[in-house]
Amino acid sequence: MRQSLNATPAPAPWCQRIASPIARNAIWKAAWILDHPDAVAGRSVSDLPLHVLARVYTAEAVNEIALLAAECFGAMGVMRDMPLQKYVHDSMVFVHSEETDGAAKLAVAEAVAGFRRPAADAA
Amino acid sequence: MDFSLNEEQRHWQAEARKFSEEELRPRSLEHDQIEGGFEPWNWEIIEKGSKLGFRTLAVPKEWGGPGVDFVSQALVMAELARGDSAMSKAFSQNWKWSHLIASACTNDQKERFLKPFLADHRYVMGRGITEPNAGSDNRMPPEDDPKAGYRLRAVREGNDWILNGEKCFIANGSVGSLFFVDARTNPDVNIRSGGTLFMVPKTTPGFRIGKVFNKRGWRFYQNAELIFENARVPHANVVGDVGTGSVKAGKGDTTGGDIFGDLELAANALGVCDDACQMAMAHASKHKRAGRYLMEHQLVQLRINEMHALTEALRSYVMRVAWQHDRKEHSANAGLVMNWSTDVIQRVTRLNMEIHGAEGCMMNARVDKLVRDAMVWTHLAGDTVQRVKVLRRLGKGARAVAGANAD
């Protein structure tokens, strides 16, 4: 265990502990709903694209958690002989996979508003 | 308020922009992608920049340097960083210690170290504070605990000091000719009264370079271990007095060293943000998605708006702090702008990556490089210790004197 006499750098681990279970819960719920379409029809759960919400939230949470974890390692967080810099770098792929986070949020907003995009714009 | 630049400031800005566009930017990616810790370094770039005055920019005119003001220094750092952030830092790292030599060293020390620094285009400097078990503890040590802070030991032996221990992540470590090294001359008291600052040339017997670190970002910039095994340093190389701690050793050096370091990181971030904005605009104007140029999509417009707003706000803050330094007004703004530059550079470079889409992290190496360079700010300028430390300055107001900065 690395020790620092300085007691201040505490917030990072707490943020990680909060974001991580929320992301996990979002993924489980989205997966469960895909397995149980009747729950949507019966209005037990929302009919929003929760799998998109789960992907966007998880991508952002992974980014934040990786960067905060790297901060805990100080300078070793950016050294190539430690894995933290790779986690930060790899986590960015999730923000751009399938569609960018911004485009995914727009799709969720359109679902909330009941907006149907013209076919020519949907690409 | 008057935001105009004087003739000298415009001159240095134009010189830096030209050097950055012609010499740094064309070689930036090539050096970034060279594998290894030391290998991305290139002396030719340093020599060319040195001949234009960028290595010795902060040496006072009375000692034969350009002696430019802080506004000019900020302008030059941002322009060089627009070409390559790590190369900009390799030059500006020397300005801190030329400030320190000029303000805190004796005439004998200036003759021995400042003159060779001015004469040799390959003479670069660094400072050794961080150790394997003391990084944050050096930046904001518990007030009275003798166990806090650096442990490198210095013991007096006649007219010499014998140094034993290790420093790590030291800037310009593998290429430096002179290092300012913080050592413990009394391990039984706190770091402020038990620490002494030494000047250690690379030729010192018992001193050697250890591992050169291989980083994800700032690949051109050198960080290395310094190893002291009965290294013999003459008493004449002590900066200030023995047992005054590294800050007081500077004898009022609040214009260089630590506070300059705050401005340095923020000005460097500004150059990276300028580069990211330029890249995003170019990409959005040339590439289409769903039959329209990216620039025509509101989602992209909002991101470009945010990038420019943050960059211009950072520019205003950086120039204000530089202007305050020139007026000898040292406030908490220097620390705050450094902290905030971390948030800005990381947000702006990521937005640039988002505008480039999947290409940003898979195909466009420069978009990826800017994000990797921005990662370095996390532990250097925007970590929790650096943010909490600024509160001390806020609490003390104009009387605040910065603590040691371990970069």
Side-chain angles (χ1 to χ4, degrees):
Chain A
M1 286 284 284
R2 301 276 292 187
Q3 282 191 319
S4 170
L5 288 170
N6 211 314
T8 50
W14 283 107
C15 294
Q16 293 167 35
R17 288 183 184 208
I18 293 168
S20 180
I22 293 174
R24 185 174 286 112
N25 198 44
I27 294 166
W28 285 353
K29 187 172 182 182
W32 185 86
I33 289 170
L34 289 173
D35 284 337
H36 298 85
D38 51 317
V40 178
R43 297 191 176 184
S44 295
V45 293
S46 165
D47 63 351
L48 290 173
L50 294 186
H51 57 289
V52 179
L53 281 169
R55 190 193 72 72
V56 172
Y57 181 81
T58 304
E60 292 183 352
V62 166
N63 267 264
E64 185 184 358
I65 288 168
L67 199 60
L68 288 169
E71 185 191 326
C72 293
F73 280 72
M76 286 310 289
V78 296
M79 301 304 167
R80 283 188 165 177
D81 41 8
M82 289 287 282
L84 267 299
Q85 45 81 27
K86 183 179 185 304
Y87 297 159
V88 174
H89 203 233
D90 287 352
S91 73
M92 291 172 197
V93 174
F94 294 105
V95 178
H96 307 289
S97 58
E98 295 186 27
E99 55 196 338
T100 65
D101 265 22
K105 286 176 181 174
L106 193 60
V108 173
E110 289 174 354
V112 170
F115 175 76
R116 191 174 292 274
R117 185 174 284 265
D121 285 354
Chain B
M1 295 188 75
D2 183 358
F3 292 96
S4 58
L5 302 177
N6 64 34
E7 193 175 334
E8 186 182 24
Q9 290 161 347
R10 282 200 306 273
H11 162 77
W12 281 107
Q13 185 184 38
E15 285 290 304
R17 184 172 294 170
K18 186 169 184 288
F19 179 65
S20 183
E21 287 175 358
E22 293 178 359
E23 300 291 342
L24 303 189
R25 192 178 184 88
R27 298 160 126 184
S28 174
L29 270 181
E30 172 199 341
H31 285 277
D32 177 75
Q33 292 175 352
I34 296 172
E35 193 45 60
F38 173 73
E39 287 75 6
W41 180 258
N42 185 328
W43 277 114
E44 188 195 339
I45 291 172
I46 300 300
E47 286 180 349
K48 279 190 173 179
S50 176
K51 287 172 184 170
L52 295 170
F54 299 129
R55 186 181 57 90
T56 54
L57 198 69
V59 176
K61 288 186 172 75
E62 59 266 32
W63 279 90
V68 306
D69 60 11
F70 282 102
V71 167
S72 300
Q73 290 174 38
L75 291 168
V76 170
M77 283 186 281
E79 290 296 338
L80 298 184
R82 193 200 291 244
D84 189 288
S85 175
M87 293 175 186
S88 176
K89 184 73 169 81
F91 285 107
S92 63
Q93 176 68 10
N94 296 295
W95 306 352
K96 292 184 193 180
W97 318 125
S98 38
H99 272 301
L100 189 61
I101 294 176
S103 64
C105 290
T106 62
N107 280 336
D108 164 61
Q109 289 171 336
K110 287 175 187 169
E111 286 288 338
R112 288 191 291 128
F113 297 115
L114 201 51
K115 285 193 172 177
F117 172 65
L118 282 161
D120 183 355
H121 292 302
R122 290 194 174 201
Y123 197 115
V124 296
M125 299 185 280
R127 179 165 188 174
I129 308 178
T130 302
E131 296 180 2
N133 285 304
S136 298
D137 279 348
N138 292 330
R139 294 185 173 191
M140 200 170 67
E143 294 288 338
D144 298 315
D145 194 333
K147 292 176 184 168
Y150 47 81
R151 308 277 179 87
L152 191 142
R153 189 78 169 93
V155 177
R156 184 83 183 253
E157 194 177 285
N159 284 329
D160 294 332
W161 289 85
I162 308 301
L163 273 59
N164 278 288
E166 183 185 334
K167 298 287 181 183
C168 72
F169 310 134
I170 303 308
N172 281 342
S174 52
V175 292
S177 292
L178 176 68
F179 296 96
F180 290 84
V181 175
D182 289 277
R184 212 56 181 261
T185 42
N186 183 350
D188 300 322
V189 296
N190 68 42
I191 195 172
R192 291 187 179 176
S193 47
T196 301
L197 186 60
F198 294 87
M199 285 189 284
V200 180
K202 70 177 176 185
T203 52
T204 300
F207 169 60
R208 65 183 172 89
I209 305 303
K211 177 180 179 178
V212 181
F213 292 94
N214 187 352
K215 307 189 295 297
R216 173 65 88 175
W218 268 7
R219 297 202 34 78
F220 181 88
Y221 194 54
Q222 296 291 299
N223 293 84
E225 288 178 332
L226 308 183
I227 296 169
F228 300 80
E229 295 162 321
N230 292 319
R232 187 172 286 273
V233 179
H235 181 72
N237 285 12
V238 168
V239 179
D241 299 317
V242 172
T244 55
S246 56
V247 177
K248 283 186 181 173
K251 288 183 177 173
D253 174 43
T254 53
T255 58
D258 190 44
I259 287 182
F260 169 79
D262 296 350
L263 177 65
E264 178 190 35
L265 292 167
N268 193 307
L270 175 61
V272 176
C273 291
D274 274 332
D275 189 19
C277 286
Q278 195 176 340
M279 290 185 73
M281 289 289 284
H283 185 80
S285 304
K286 290 176 187 166
H287 292 79
K288 287 184 175 179
R289 187 83 188 262
R292 288 186 292 173
Y293 285 106
L294 284 171
M295 189 65 85
E296 295 171 29
H297 291 269
Q298 287 183 342
L299 210 60
V300 174
Q301 291 169 0
L302 290 171
R303 271 144 186 71
I304 289 178
N305 174 299
E306 184 181 351
M307 289 174 73
H308 280 82
L310 287 170
T311 301
E312 288 309 316
L314 181 60
R315 192 186 322 282
S316 299
Y317 207 176
V318 164
M319 299 316 297
R320 173 186 167 175
V321 169
W323 175 78
Q324 281 187 295
H325 280 9
D326 282 327
R327 292 165 60 92
K328 313 258 184 243
E329 293 174 8
H330 300 303
S331 71
N333 281 324
L336 290 171
V337 74
M338 177 185 70
N339 297 158
W340 193 59
S341 71
T342 306
D343 305 330
V344 172
I345 189 175
Q346 293 185 348
R347 179 69 180 157
V348 169
T349 55
R350 284 181 181 227
L351 284 170
N352 184 39
M353 182 175 269
E354 191 168 326
I355 287 168
H356 281 77
E359 184 195 333
C361 53
M362 287 189 271
M363 288 148 62
N364 191 316
R366 190 161 182 90
V367 171
D368 180 62
K369 177 189 185 297
L370 298 192
V371 172
R372 284 187 285 106
D373 285 346
M375 272 176 62
V376 174
W377 267 253
T378 302
H379 72 274
L380 212 54
D383 59 274
T384 47
V385 167
Q386 292 286 42
R387 292 178 197 263
V388 172
K389 201 176 82 173
V390 175
L391 285 177
R392 292 186 173 186
R393 297 191 212 170
L394 281 170
K396 290 176 182 174
R399 292 176 292 111
V401 174
N405 197 354
D407 61 343

